[in-house]
Amino acid sequence: MEIKVNFLDNLRLEAKFDDFTVITDQPIRYKGDGSAPSPFDYFLASSALCAAYFVRVYCLARNIPTENIRLSQNNIVDPEDRYNQIFKIQVELPEDISDKDREGILRSIDRCTVKKVVQTGPVFQIETVESLDQDAQALLMAKPEGEGSTYIVGKDLPLEQTIANMTAILADLGMKIEIASWRNIVPHVWSLHIRDAASPMCFTNGKGSTKESALCSALGEFIERLSCNFFYNDQFFGEEIANSDFVHYPNEKWFQPGPADELPEGILDDYCLAIYNPDDELCGSNLIDTNSGNSERGICSLPFVRQSDGEVVYFPSNLIENLYLSNGMSAGNTLYEAQVQCLSEIFERAVKKQIIEEEIALPDVPLSVLEKYPHILEGVKALEEQGFPILVKDASLGGKFPVACVTLMNPRTGGVFASFGAHPTLEVALERSLTELLQGRSFEGLNDLQPPTFNGLAVTEPNNFVEHFIDSSGVISWRFFSARADYEFCEWDFSGTNEEEATCLFSILKEMDKEVYMAVYEDLGAPVCRILVPGYSEVYPVDDLVWDNTNKALDYREDILSIHTLNDDQLVDLAERLEESQLDDYSDIITLIGIEFDENTVWGQLTILELKLLIYLALQQHEEALERVERFLQYNTNTVERGLFYRAVNAVLEITLDDELELDDYLPNLKRMFGEEVMKAVVGSVNGEVRFHGLTPTSMQLEGLDKHLRLIESYKKLHAARAARARH
């Protein structure tokens, strides 16, 4: 994690990281002002808080109340050496907690990350640089040891060379990549989380049977998502990029909708139009680019090559971001390697969807086959020793597809998790299924899995597949667990060179009469491909292009960002549009307008319901405001502070709307209940003197929105690299 420090007045310091700011000071005896804890005080507190966090996680997983658990930490200083200290952590537990859980809680405290880092002994490297912002040395600690050359199946270069190449690409872009966490809870199963230190919203997860292979996975995914703009999928790029020579790629084309909002000539082809516009409901305006929001430029479209005949077909960027998410993109050491990975993932997700929705029972992989892959079997046995039954399944549907499945059952909670993996080699497909199962998960995290169901509607509901795609948290059918399989086991093998495997996988799609479209991006220095298989590889339903398109943001973005400057007529118009839109009142404004607000601010917590409420307060429409504040108080996930603000608003509105009540009679005790400052804001909001309390002013220039501006700065690095390459 990158922490940037600013020097404030006297001895006060400000540390900024992610979306947080920490202020430190020194005691008056050390010539400070005593206005905040010292850096060392924060260090001490971090140890106690970390210990308490692990206690809380343990108790939540077992439904143990924590109201009567108390924890404290004292640091005992050696009078002969003040750097030699004992951190004494004590925990007070209620009598009704069992001996087993008492021992478990103590073990959980022992897992404290702060403690482990201190005990291991961090290494401090101190240096000067010409510019902190331009110093892009990667922050990776998992660099391969020595000059070895470790080859694994599917990679055309050794892991060591792959890591070096990908790290150099990211450093050349000016991105500092840091490892936020590692996981290795069973043998031969590693995962990690990496992110851009300057823009933590840009992150990926990697998995593999070794540290190096997991790091390769994470770096490759990072580069593929950069190359395909996935990190910025639904986000506003800002007006500068929206009006630049190109928005996404130098080879993009813009098409104007027809005079009656028809789809323009030149985008898609007949095959795609039959899939995306079967009922002629799709309009040109549905395909306006969300990222630029530039309706005047028209429809931004990207070239893809149709694999059946080599023809170029232009796909609207809006269509891609709305339907495909990250499905069908991959980076590799060579283009063939990238194609194999990309096509494997497409099959993995499509076959998974078919199996889940059709409630197919899969055949087991025989133990005699698993014994050929000792490291996979060792990982499976380690999970079973922890009390999790594991089912290893052949998901090839009779040898037709290169897909495997590893399913975990949790007898403690009744939850299950079906993890799928694909690759032309059975061993790699099984390995990917197992590593995907535990990617980023602890044993406690396996307590959050959903139980199976016989409710076919819940299984086939479109959003269930979306949840399976995002983090495999959707539900699956009990029929999946039938011992009577719908297919015979097949020990399939599609392996060969990466070129042969890519040809084989393309041929499977051809036999299915699927058209395949591919774009190749090599501008960052590594081959990346994006493959679309219309009617097969979409994640979201095609109907979303008409009924739930992300470019609905264009109807609200500018007005919401400029809300402090809107007059009453404009506010009335905005409120009416929100009411008539049929948008979910509990949807957040971040998603609606494609702006990454700091989630620790009112903007970051703002929902459509709360926005309507604030508009009605500004318009002095008290009855409408009261109706919505009552709904807000019934259900909201906002902060305690914001909830109390609206409880006070509710009371003041009730008094204001009752002809027999006088606000002055209640203000003294309202102030005692909620505080002077809160009541000043509440009364001001109700009488119109305060408008949009808690929302800091901004505009389409995004002033003050540091989190989103960091995301745009990240994208500008990509944009500049593409522009420079296009010039040469």
Side-chain angles (χ1 to χ4, degrees):
M1 178 172 66
E2 183 178 47
I3 302 170
K4 291 187 176 180
V5 177
N6 298 318
F7 296 90
L8 306 179
D9 55 289
N10 196 13
L11 298 181
R12 295 175 75 242
L13 303 170
E14 174 188 74
K16 286 183 170 289
F17 54 95
D18 294 351
D19 299 316
F20 303 102
T21 299
V22 173
I23 304 293
T24 72
D25 199 352
Q26 291 292 334
I28 294 173
R29 66 180 181 274
Y30 295 140
K31 300 184 179 180
D33 299 316
S35 63
S38 72
F40 188 67
D41 293 334
Y42 277 111
F43 167 67
L44 295 176
S46 71
S47 174
L49 289 168
C50 186
Y53 161 76
F54 279 96
V55 172
R56 179 72 168 159
V57 168
Y58 180 92
C59 291
L60 284 175
R62 292 157 181 81
N63 294 317
I64 300 173
T66 54
E67 289 83 356
N68 297 318
I69 296 178
R70 299 170 62 199
L71 184 145
S72 71
Q73 173 184 297
N74 291 285
N75 64 309
I76 303 168
V77 184
D78 184 343
E80 302 294 330
D81 180 2
R82 67 190 182 102
Y83 299 115
N84 181 26
Q85 300 191 15
I86 297 172
F87 286 17
K88 189 170 186 178
I89 297 175
Q90 297 177 310
V91 59
E92 179 183 314
L93 300 174
E95 292 182 0
D96 59 353
I97 290 183
S98 68
D99 290 341
K100 178 182 178 182
D101 283 327
R102 287 172 181 270
E103 183 181 344
I105 287 171
L106 293 178
R107 283 203 310 270
S108 73
I109 294 174
D110 198 48
R111 295 173 56 199
C112 169
T113 313
V114 174
K115 179 182 79 71
K116 289 183 178 295
V117 171
V118 172
Q119 288 178 327
T120 301
V123 175
F124 290 85
Q125 298 176 346
I126 303 170
E127 62 183 4
T128 60
V129 296
E130 292 184 6
S131 169
L132 287 176
D133 293 329
Q134 294 177 7
D135 173 45
Q137 180 180 1
L139 305 179
L140 302 176
M141 291 183 64
K143 296 185 178 168
E145 300 176 2
E147 299 296 326
S149 294
T150 307
Y151 283 89
I152 63 172
V153 176
K155 291 291 182 188
D156 287 326
L157 288 177
L159 295 178
E160 295 82 359
Q161 187 62 50
T162 304
I163 292 171
N165 292 348
M166 291 183 174
T167 302
I169 287 169
L170 295 170
D172 288 344
L173 281 172
M175 293 187 174
K176 296 182 181 180
I177 304 302
E178 60 184 13
I179 295 177
S181 64
W182 281 100
R183 293 278 187 187
N184 174 223
I185 62 174
V186 300
H188 311 296
V189 179
W190 288 84
S191 68
L192 76 160
H193 177 88
I194 67 172
R195 62 186 187 179
D196 179 0
S199 180
M201 296 82 76
C202 301
F203 67 86
T204 58
N205 300 300
K207 59 185 183 294
S209 60
T210 66
K211 284 191 298 184
E212 289 78 15
S213 60
L215 180 55
C216 277
S217 168
L219 289 171
E221 188 171 284
F222 203 97
I223 289 172
E224 88 187 22
R225 295 187 175 202
L226 282 176
S227 295
C228 297
N229 287 354
F230 179 74
F231 289 137
Y232 323 97
N233 207 37
D234 303 327
Q235 309 302 327
F236 178 44
F237 286 169
E239 293 185 328
E240 179 185 341
I241 292 176
N243 294 296
S244 60
D245 290 340
F246 67 91
V247 173
H248 294 270
Y249 302 95
N251 62 353
E252 68 194 23
K253 279 189 178 181
W254 293 76
F255 297 84
Q256 288 295 328
D261 203 14
E262 303 99 338
L263 297 180
E265 294 288 334
I267 64 169
L268 305 173
D269 58 15
D270 291 341
Y271 179 88
C272 293
L273 288 170
I275 293 169
Y276 301 133
N277 190 28
D279 302 317
D280 291 325
E281 291 183 308
L282 189 63
C283 299
S285 58
N286 294 132
L287 299 177
I288 298 297
D289 182 47
T290 305
N291 305 116
S292 68
N294 198 332
S295 301
E296 294 181 2
R297 289 183 78 168
I299 301 170
C300 182
S301 300
L302 310 177
F304 281 72
V305 176
R306 190 167 58 206
Q307 297 303 290
S308 61
D309 58 9
E311 288 294 315
V312 173
V313 177
Y314 281 87
F315 281 74
S317 62
N318 171 284
L319 181 148
I320 297 170
E321 75 173 34
N322 270 281
L323 300 184
Y324 290 95
L325 291 184
S326 64
N327 199 22
M329 58 175 70
S330 186
N333 292 297
T334 64
L335 180 57
Y336 289 125
E337 180 185 313
Q339 288 174 341
V340 170
Q341 172 67 12
C342 190
L343 292 166
S344 294
E345 289 189 352
I346 287 174
F347 283 121
E348 170 196 320
R349 288 151 182 173
V351 172
K352 176 181 182 179
K353 180 180 181 182
Q354 180 183 349
I355 290 168
I356 290 172
E357 292 185 349
E358 296 180 10
E359 302 177 278
I360 295 173
L362 301 175
D364 292 323
V365 176
L367 180 61
S368 59
V369 174
L370 282 179
E371 286 173 341
K372 299 177 183 179
Y373 317 119
H375 64 288
I376 295 173
L377 194 54
E378 187 178 354
V380 168
K381 288 181 177 179
L383 282 170
E384 294 198 323
E385 287 169 1
Q386 291 291 330
F388 300 106
I390 300 296
L391 308 175
V392 183
K393 301 283 189 175
D394 166 26
S396 69
L397 304 185
K400 186 175 180 181
F401 302 104
V403 185
C405 174
V406 174
T407 300
L408 176 143
M409 307 171 75
N410 189 343
R412 300 181 186 93
T413 64
V416 298
F417 182 9
S419 173
F420 289 74
H423 188 270
T425 302
L426 176 59
E427 178 183 9
V428 177
L430 289 168
E431 179 185 287
R432 288 181 176 176
S433 301
L434 181 60
T435 54
E436 174 71 22
L437 176 71
L438 296 176
Q439 180 170 280
R441 287 182 172 85
S442 62
F443 286 129
E444 288 83 2
L446 295 172
N447 291 328
D448 299 329
L449 308 177
Q450 293 201 55
T453 179
F454 278 112
N455 183 346
L457 292 177
V459 171
T460 57
E461 199 273 325
N463 198 55
N464 187 46
F465 173 62
V466 175
E467 292 179 358
H468 273 290
F469 176 85
I470 294 172
D471 60 6
S472 295
S473 63
V475 297
I476 60 175
S477 172
W478 267 117
R479 292 179 174 83
F480 176 85
F481 294 93
S482 172
R484 183 180 297 172
D486 293 315
Y487 291 87
E488 294 291 329
F489 168 73
C490 177
E491 191 173 358
W492 49 265
D493 183 8
F494 299 87
S495 63
T497 65
N498 274 320
E499 181 178 1
E500 291 167 342
E501 290 176 355
T503 301
C504 175
L505 297 180
F506 276 121
S507 69
I508 295 174
L509 291 169
K510 185 176 181 180
E511 291 170 6
M512 298 170 66
D513 294 324
K514 301 293 183 184
E515 283 281 11
V516 180
Y517 304 80
M518 181 171 66
V520 176
Y521 304 111
E522 298 183 284
D523 48 351
L524 301 185
V528 174
C529 66
R530 180 155 207 174
I531 296 176
L532 309 178
V533 188
Y536 189 69
S537 65
E538 293 86 359
V539 176
Y540 283 104
V542 170
D543 288 351
D544 279 7
L545 292 174
V546 175
W547 302 111
D548 193 22
N549 195 304
T550 58
N551 74 5
K552 60 181 176 283
L554 310 187
D555 295 330
Y556 307 102
R557 181 184 287 152
E558 185 169 3
D559 283 346
I560 292 175
L561 290 176
S562 308
I563 198 162
H564 290 85
T565 65
L566 299 185
N567 60 37
D568 284 357
D569 289 340
Q570 291 169 319
L571 287 175
V572 168
D573 177 66
L574 175 58
E576 288 178 350
R577 281 185 282 129
L578 287 169
E579 296 288 8
E580 294 169 1
S581 67
Q582 298 184 339
L583 292 168
D584 181 359
D585 269 349
Y586 296 100
S587 295
D588 57 70
I589 299 300
I590 289 175
T591 302
L592 176 63
I593 65 173
I595 298 292
E596 285 292 337
F597 297 107
D598 180 348
E599 291 181 355
N600 302 296
T601 65
V602 176
W603 274 115
Q605 298 279 335
L606 190 66
T607 61
I608 292 174
L609 174 62
E610 187 180 356
L611 178 62
K612 290 178 184 177
L613 167 54
L614 290 171
I615 292 173
Y616 289 130
L617 285 173
L619 291 170
Q620 296 291 279
Q621 296 182 12
H622 292 154
E623 291 183 357
E624 289 82 355
L626 180 59
E627 177 187 337
R628 282 151 187 85
V629 79
E630 288 172 345
R631 290 178 57 198
F632 178 92
L633 293 172
Q634 285 175 354
Y635 173 77
N636 77 90
T637 56
N638 215 307
T639 61
V640 173
E641 179 184 7
R642 198 67 174 167
L644 289 172
F645 169 78
Y646 282 116
R647 290 202 176 279
V649 168
N650 186 75
V652 172
L653 283 172
E654 293 267 22
I655 294 167
T656 302
L657 289 168
D658 192 321
D659 293 337
E660 297 181 2
L661 301 179
E662 292 292 335
L663 182 59
D664 288 343
D665 295 338
Y666 294 88
L667 273 178
N669 282 323
L670 285 171
K671 289 177 180 178
R672 294 183 70 185
M673 172 72 82
F674 298 106
E676 290 273 355
E677 287 301 312
V678 170
M679 287 312 302
K680 182 178 178 181
V682 168
V683 174
S685 297
V686 173
N687 67 26
E689 293 176 2
V690 175
R691 289 162 68 95
F692 307 107
H693 173 65
L695 298 182
T696 54
T698 186
S699 71
M700 288 290 280
Q701 303 306 312
L702 308 174
E703 57 269 21
L705 305 183
D706 291 342
K707 184 174 182 178
H708 194 84
L709 290 172
R710 290 202 303 273
L711 191 69
I712 291 176
E713 285 304 311
S714 170
Y715 184 65
K716 283 182 175 178
K717 295 172 184 176
L718 268 183
H719 198 268
R722 288 171 181 155
R725 188 175 180 91
R727 287 194 295 269
H728 294 89

